Amino acid sequence: MTYPSVYPTGVTIYNPEKCWNGYTVFQAAEQGALVIDMNGAEVQLWKGLYGFPNKLLPGGYVLGHTGERNPFYGMQDMIDLVQVDWEGNIVWKFNMYEFIEDPGEKPQWMARQHHDYQREGNPVGYYVPGMEPRVDGGNTLILCHKNLKNPKISEKLLLDDTIIEVTWEGDIVWEWICSDHFDEYGFSEEAKNILCRDPNMRPNGGGMGDWMHINSMSVLGSNKWYDAGDERFHPDNIIWDGRETNIIAIIDKKSGNIVWKIGPDYNTSKELKALGWIIGQHHAHMIPKGLPGEGNILLFDNGGWAGYGAPNPSSPTGRMNALRDYSRVLEIDPTTLKIVWQYTPAEAGYMMPFDSNRFYSPFISGAQRLPNGNTLITEGSGGRIIEVTPNHEIVWEYISPYWGKVIKLNMVYRAYRAPYEWIPQLDPPKETPIERLDVKTFRVPGAAPIGRKKETTVEGVLPPHTPPPGFAPLCVAADV
């Protein structure tokens, strides 16, 4: 989060030999669904098409939304989910989840979709060899909102999360409601106390509690754990994560019950303590079979502020009582909870904790495992998308040049990389390497180059010490 006033946007690093080359799609702030090539050339913009998120499908299709409910009445409610072809024609649409009659607004059916959805044929919505999402049929799982009351949680109106399964024809054939399983989440009495008094109240619609705030949802798909006999990981089961509660959970598709979870309290076992507190996380999903790391859980552990529990000096009421000022991308073995791979400020080369906030997105963001073992990371709050190797080398970096006028950020909710062949309308682009600039010598026009006109030696001045590890002469202790 330590940004200079001036810095380049677009692609700043590109090593074609080490990248998994393809097209990248993301929602450019107040522009629409944007597809760029590896050099940052903008090859397609579906102008104005919303994306919460946008996802490419084989054949040059994109998924998105034609509008958002007036935020005076709803919070992050997309009015529909649509599949659009290369020329902008809507070839599939779903909106018939709830008929909405907001005062002064046109009465209409709405999907109330938010944050995620998955088309049949692919469990996670990004490229997996041999698992292409269907483009002319199949069911779609959609993460939606529903307003309700549940006295077990609070007497206040709740903005609850639901997951529905919709056929190609638009029939809802399955529904899961998050608050129905409140007793399974393992909240402490302290957490229940603050949830009852303040379930993350938002002003929209006269006030509603966005108590869980699920921000990702995907199918497990076939995996080695189920093949070995562990029923918790049935391929039809669904994994989601709740940003406000720090919970990541897997639900049984048949019963809807929780069969696996971590959080909301990370102090309840030695395995969870070793994992460390996951806070405000996004995009938790199981890496699909056929990709490096298959069967592990990949997520963007934002840090920032989230959770319910005991009050502390940073959280007088107990809401948002867990804090951390840097992010982590974690790959976790779901059977042992051990971290298999990670990308944190340390792997990024930043000295911790002094420089940790240089890898930090306290909201949004995501991570995609690529076929060559690299990981595409969306560090969303700063509009930064990077591709890193298993050894943590950044081989591609892009900074979005699009700042919003309503939300004055160049934020990117979540980006996805797709193979060139998914857009047959285009010839594969030329791939031109971009060397990393040396920031010590890079200057904007008019700035003086590095180097002194005069250098003077002062007699008696001692050279600096080279302290041993752990003895750095700084105001706070270093982690290493």
Side-chain angles (χ1 to χ4, degrees):
M1 299 290 282
T2 306
Y3 292 121
S5 299
V6 175
Y7 54 92
T9 59
V11 174
T12 56
I13 299 171
Y14 177 34
N15 183 336
E17 299 298 321
K18 293 186 177 181
C19 279
W20 191 77
N21 299 293
Y23 294 115
T24 303
V25 64
F26 65 96
Q27 175 70 198
E30 298 177 18
Q31 300 296 312
L34 182 63
V35 178
I36 60 172
D37 67 19
M38 297 300 294
N39 282 94
E42 300 176 357
V43 301
Q44 167 71 301
L45 173 70
W46 285 276
K47 188 176 180 180
L49 185 70
Y50 293 71
F52 203 22
N54 294 118
K55 298 183 183 183
L56 286 173
L57 298 177
Y61 296 99
V62 69
L63 287 160
H65 329 280
T66 63
E68 182 178 6
R69 185 181 182 183
N70 186 336
F72 189 80
Y73 301 109
M75 182 186 153
Q76 299 183 328
D77 286 350
M78 297 294 114
I79 65 173
D80 54 24
L81 177 63
V82 296
Q83 179 179 327
V84 181
D85 69 16
W86 190 248
E87 301 303 326
N89 302 300
I90 296 176
V91 299
W92 179 84
K93 175 178 178 177
F94 173 78
N95 63 352
M96 298 187 71
Y97 186 45
E98 184 176 344
F99 192 75
I100 301 294
E101 297 179 277
D102 290 329
E105 301 287 327
K106 175 186 174 184
Q108 60 179 311
W109 283 96
M110 290 189 189
R112 299 195 68 187
Q113 182 274 343
H114 67 98
H115 286 95
D116 218 345
Y117 50 81
Q118 304 297 341
R119 171 63 56 77
E120 183 178 344
N122 179 291
V124 293
Y126 62 70
Y127 176 74
V128 182
M131 294 186 187
E132 291 201 345
R134 297 186 63 180
V135 299
D136 57 358
N139 291 1
T140 306
L141 284 171
I142 306 176
L143 181 59
C144 301
H145 277 145
K146 178 176 279 189
N147 290 24
L148 53 77
K149 286 193 173 182
N150 186 326
K152 284 187 176 181
I153 302 173
S154 175
E155 295 295 331
K156 301 179 187 298
L157 181 66
L158 300 177
L159 178 68
D160 206 3
D161 297 297
T162 67
I163 303 171
I164 60 174
E165 182 172 355
V166 178
T167 67
W168 182 259
E169 291 75 26
D171 297 321
I172 299 173
V173 295
W174 183 82
E175 182 184 42
W176 178 85
I177 299 174
C178 184
S179 61
D180 285 350
H181 302 270
F182 180 69
D183 291 337
E184 301 172 47
Y185 297 132
F187 289 110
S188 66
E189 289 304 314
E190 292 168 318
K192 290 177 182 177
N193 184 301
I194 181 58
L195 263 167
C196 179
R197 291 181 287 119
D198 182 2
N200 189 29
M201 292 300 293
R202 308 297 294 265
N204 316 62
M208 58 182 81
D210 184 24
W211 71 286
M212 180 65 80
H213 195 98
I214 293 179
N215 61 37
S216 70
M217 174 276 303
S218 57
V219 179
L220 298 186
S222 59
N223 62 82
K224 59 185 179 183
W225 314 115
Y226 180 75
D227 293 343
D230 194 332
E231 290 285 341
R232 297 177 298 171
F233 305 106
H234 189 288
D236 291 339
N237 289 352
I238 296 169
I239 182 172
W240 54 261
D241 70 65
R243 184 238 182 281
E244 293 298 330
T245 60
N246 305 325
I247 292 174
I248 302 173
I250 295 174
I251 61 173
D252 175 73
K253 179 71 182 301
K254 290 182 179 178
S255 67
N257 293 332
I258 306 298
V259 294
W260 179 98
K261 79 172 179 67
I262 53 177
D265 189 337
Y266 289 82
N267 288 329
T268 56
S269 72
K270 65 178 182 181
E271 291 82 6
L272 287 170
K273 289 180 180 177
L275 178 60
W277 275 75
I278 289 173
I279 303 171
Q281 72 284 352
H282 281 74
H283 203 194
H285 63 279
M286 180 172 283
I287 299 173
K289 181 176 282 189
L291 291 176
E294 63 178 55
N296 294 330
I297 306 297
L298 185 66
L299 68 137
F300 192 99
D301 173 17
N302 295 70
W305 49 89
Y308 303 92
N312 61 55
S314 297
S315 173
T317 68
R319 188 168 74 81
M320 298 189 292
N321 73 330
L323 303 168
R324 193 181 65 237
D325 63 356
Y326 63 87
S327 299
R328 309 186 293 173
V329 176
L330 302 178
E331 179 183 341
I332 304 168
D333 181 326
T335 64
T336 65
L337 303 187
K338 290 184 177 178
I339 296 174
V340 178
W341 181 86
Q342 66 179 15
Y343 188 83
T344 74
E347 286 76 25
Y350 303 135
M351 192 173 182
M352 296 180 70
F354 315 104
D355 222 8
S356 298
N357 66 357
R358 291 182 64 190
F359 182 65
Y360 184 31
S361 176
F363 66 105
I364 57 175
S365 306
Q368 173 187 352
R369 179 56 44 84
L370 299 169
N372 65 350
N374 290 355
T375 303
L376 185 75
I377 298 171
T378 306
E379 190 185 358
S381 63
R384 181 177 184 239
I385 311 167
I386 56 175
E387 180 178 343
V388 301
T389 68
N391 294 323
H392 312 114
E393 179 185 357
I394 296 177
V395 292
W396 187 80
E397 180 183 62
Y398 175 84
I399 311 295
S400 174
Y402 294 107
W403 273 259
K405 294 180 181 177
V406 177
I407 300 175
K408 301 182 188 304
L409 297 170
N410 65 335
M411 56 183 271
V412 173
Y413 170 59
R414 187 189 301 164
Y416 288 104
R417 175 75 48 76
Y420 291 136
E421 56 266 29
W422 275 22
I423 303 182
Q425 294 85 354
L426 300 175
D427 294 326
K430 182 181 179 181
E431 298 167 346
T432 304
I434 299 174
E435 297 292 332
R436 180 194 289 258
L437 293 174
D438 184 349
V439 297
K440 291 182 289 188
T441 57
F442 176 71
R443 294 290 186 278
V444 299
I450 193 170
R452 308 88 172 175
K453 292 183 179 179
K454 183 177 186 301
E455 186 169 296
T456 303
T457 299
V458 179
E459 187 175 353
V461 172
L462 300 174
H465 294 286
T466 301
F471 287 79
L474 296 167
C475 299
V476 294
D479 287 354
V480 293

